[in-house]
Amino acid sequence: MVFTIRPAVREKIGLLFGIAGASGSGKTFSALTLAEGIKGQNGKIAVIDTEAGRALHYAPMPGAKADPASGTFDFMHLDFPPPFTPERYVEAIKAAEEAGATVIVIDSMSHEWDGEGGCSDMAEQAAIAAATDRNGVVQAWKVDAMTAPSWKKPKQLHKRMMAKLIQCRTHLIFCLRAQEKIKFEKVKDERTGRERNEIRQMGFMPVCEKSFMFELSGSMTMHPETPGEPRYDMQRKLNHDLQAIFPAGQKITVDTGERLRAWAETGADRPPADTDADATDDLIAAIQDAPTLEALQRITSSPKTKQWRKHLSENRPDLSDRVDASVNAALEIFEREDEGAAA
């Protein structure tokens, strides 16, 4: 692989911004207010709604015009029922982009991790399946033992989703639920010298994969006592520039969104999307997901795959090597499984 070194130049970015909060903290209204400022004069807002149409509360009445000052917004609505798998989130975002959205609000992103069919649900179901004997009886003792390995696939799917989101050209705003968390800590009693358990309040924490909020361009948490305001005493990721855009104690406004867009779109144009790399990622994902050797062979022997691998071999050897490596890795896994079964 040849490395290229060039002078660093700031580039425009597609925003990935997170707003977490408990019920009543104003996260959906704040997300739509931000989106109104981000979209500008000619942009379009889309809302991916996992909350059974709750976002429609912010749509104008039939025949009426949207008025952000009064709490209504002009947006396209995508109803998103379960299962809330990472792949379906990517599909929903693509559908919103194809409909012309320039800024997308995802409400709520928490379902990807903790909703029906989300990552936690997938891991739990995989653990139960692995702990079920041939007679269909679940061995309770084995469920706990299978919990850790059952997270491998959900984490892989979440990682793939994040890779897609980071490459997205559209501005994305994620709403996330937050829950009050506590932590049990062992504390030494100064009087007796003995250890005792003590409950420590952790405050409101976003319901999501533990590093999700910190992988975004920026994120914040809101509190029901101060709806619509970023809280600096709660989990957040706001660099110096973003702190100036989101001052503590001030509600989010349309002007806030305009300033956020200006921050994101300051710099050189981003390089065009690498469509070859995107298509190759999809092929590699299919190879990695092949449940059997026969399924893998169907993928690799299809005319479409053969034609694509030929194209990569002639034009993109870097991507061709990645496909070859993924096929070899999948074959090795099936060979080890066969050896284990034979033993």
Side-chain angles (χ1 to χ4, degrees), residues 100-228:
T102 55
V103 54
I104 303 171
V105 175
I106 299 96
D107 187 14
S108 157
M109 194 66 197
S110 293
H111 286 94
E112 182 265 342
W113 195 250
D114 200 36
E116 182 182 344
C119 291
S120 298
D121 202 8
M122 285 190 284
E124 181 182 4
Q125 294 303 317
I128 292 172
T132 303
D133 64 22
R134 295 179 180 178
N135 298 317
V137 178
V138 178
Q139 300 171 296
W141 64 270
K142 197 174 181 181
V143 173
D144 289 340
M146 296 306 299
T147 295
S150 295
W151 270 102
K152 181 179 179 181
K153 186 63 177 180
K155 286 183 177 180
Q156 181 187 49
L157 294 176
H158 175 81
K159 184 177 179 181
R160 284 182 195 165
M161 179 194 72
M162 292 306 302
K164 294 284 188 182
L165 297 184
I166 290 170
Q167 295 301 318
C168 190
R169 261 50 179 178
T170 308
H171 298 307
L172 305 178
I173 303 174
F174 305 96
C175 297
L176 300 103
R177 296 177 176 178
Q179 297 176 342
E180 285 192 283
K181 298 288 186 180
I182 60 172
K183 183 179 181 180
F184 290 94
E185 293 183 337
K186 288 192 176 295
V187 179
K188 189 173 183 179
D189 191 306
E190 295 181 359
R191 185 174 60 84
T192 65
R194 296 178 181 176
E195 286 189 341
R196 57 182 173 83
N197 286 326
E198 187 174 276
I199 298 176
R200 183 160 71 92
Q201 297 291 335
M202 303 291 291
F204 282 99
M205 304 294 287
V207 178
C208 59
E209 192 273 336
K210 63 182 180 180
S211 62
F212 177 80
M213 295 288 274
F214 297 100
E215 293 187 42
L216 307 181
S217 314
S219 62
M220 65 177 65
T221 307
M222 295 179 173
H223 196 284
E225 294 177 354
T226 53

Side-chain angles (χ1 to χ4, degrees), residues 221 230-236 238-239 242-244 246-249:
T221 307
R231 289 286 290 260
Y232 276 61
D233 58 337
M234 302 170 72
Q235 189 179 105
R236 68 191 187 283
L238 298 172
N239 64 19
L242 293 177
Q243 288 177 36
F246 296 95

Side-chain angles (χ1 to χ4, degrees), residues 240-262:
H240 180 74
D241 290 340
L242 293 177
Q243 288 177 36
I245 296 172
F246 296 95
Q250 292 188 21
K251 289 185 181 295
I252 289 173
T253 65
V254 173
D255 179 66
T256 309
E258 293 173 352
R259 295 177 65 194
L260 184 60
R261 182 189 70 229

Side-chain angles (χ1 to χ4, degrees), residues 39 42-47 76 92-105 169-172:
K39 78 177 180 66
N42 302 313
K44 291 183 179 180
I45 301 171
V47 176
M76 298 180 289
I93 290 170
K94 285 183 178 178
E97 287 181 315
E98 290 170 0
T102 55
V103 54
I104 303 171
V105 175
R169 261 50 179 178
T170 308
H171 298 307
L172 305 178

